[in-house]
Amino acid sequence: MRRRLTALLSVPLLALPAACAAASATPQAPPAFTTPAPAQSYWPGQDELMAAAGVVEDHAARNWSRVYTSVSLDVPAGVLLVHRVPTPGFDAEIRPLVRGVTVRFVDTAHSARTLDGWFERVQADVSYWQRRGVTIHSLWWNGEGSAGRCLTVEVANPRRDAALITKHYTDMSICVRQGGPAEPLTAN
């Protein structure tokens, strides 16, 4: 019985080097790979709108920084929305850049350059506000319905702090809202 078990275990071990040599000597056909189909966006025309938004963003931010605010998309309607301070010549220069895309211009009160400057100024003052008991949780200006209207300052206690903040920044359009500390996302 012992010899038979040894023989059964030895045969596969002796056959292994021979099988490996045969496998390496025999050329194998590479596995068949297929090229994946290009990604299909959910909305027809979405890719064209996104490309047009990039063109407008690059051109307007570079050449019209005093009036350009942002772009957004109304994908279901197939419309590129260009937010800007109404200024002669802007619309006429932008429209030909994105022929074939429906463009709608949206009036704003302030340009991205102005709002970014306000953002940096308030951000630099966070410790100033902390020393006065005001907790600023976040700053933003390009949210739903607020693009170009004001710099939104989210604080822990807007009822108490709104008047103090807007009085301090009289040369800025500030919207004070309720905010909370950022919650980190977890995998669980």
Side-chain angles (χ1 to χ4, degrees):
M1 177 75 166
R2 190 177 229 173
R3 285 186 182 172
R4 185 169 181 212
L5 183 59
T6 305
L8 286 173
L9 292 175
S10 300
V11 171
L13 290 175
L14 293 174
L16 184 62
C20 289
S24 63
T26 307
Q28 299 288 324
F33 291 103
T34 59
T35 305
Q40 181 80 25
S41 63
Y42 180 74
W43 295 99
Q46 179 177 345
D47 295 335
E48 292 79 8
L49 283 175
M50 290 172 55
V55 169
V56 170
E57 172 79 26
D58 292 344
H59 181 82
R62 186 176 51 252
N63 299 305
W64 292 86
S65 63
R66 290 180 294 103
V67 301
Y68 174 70
T69 305
S70 65
V71 294
S72 60
L73 307 177
D74 181 348
V75 179
V79 177
L80 173 66
L81 303 167
V82 180
H83 306 266
R84 51 58 174 139
V85 177
T87 303
F90 178 82
D91 298 6
E93 185 171 320
I94 296 301
R95 206 175 288 281
L97 296 175
V98 289
R99 293 190 195 282
V101 172
T102 303
V103 178
R104 189 172 67 203
F105 294 94
V106 180
D107 294 350
T108 63
H110 308 287
S111 70
R113 184 169 89 177
T114 298
L115 292 158
D116 286 343
W118 293 349
F119 179 97
E120 290 170 9
R121 188 168 147 202
V122 175
Q123 188 175 39
D125 290 346
V126 167
S127 60
Y128 166 87
W129 290 112
Q130 285 176 333
R131 290 190 300 272
R132 285 155 180 76
V134 176
T135 303
I136 296 177
H137 291 296
S138 65
L139 303 169
W140 50 276
W141 60 261
N142 200 11
E144 183 66 32
S146 66
R149 187 170 56 87
C150 62
L151 175 66
T152 300
V153 179
E154 291 187 346
V155 296
N157 191 338
R159 282 190 176 181
R160 181 192 71 196
D161 301 334
L164 186 63
I165 292 170
T166 55
K167 183 178 178 185
H168 184 78
Y169 299 110
T170 57
D171 60 329
M172 297 166 48
S173 178
I174 300 280
C175 297
V176 180
R177 293 191 180 154
Q178 177 70 48
E183 294 290 330
L185 298 176
T186 61
N188 298 332

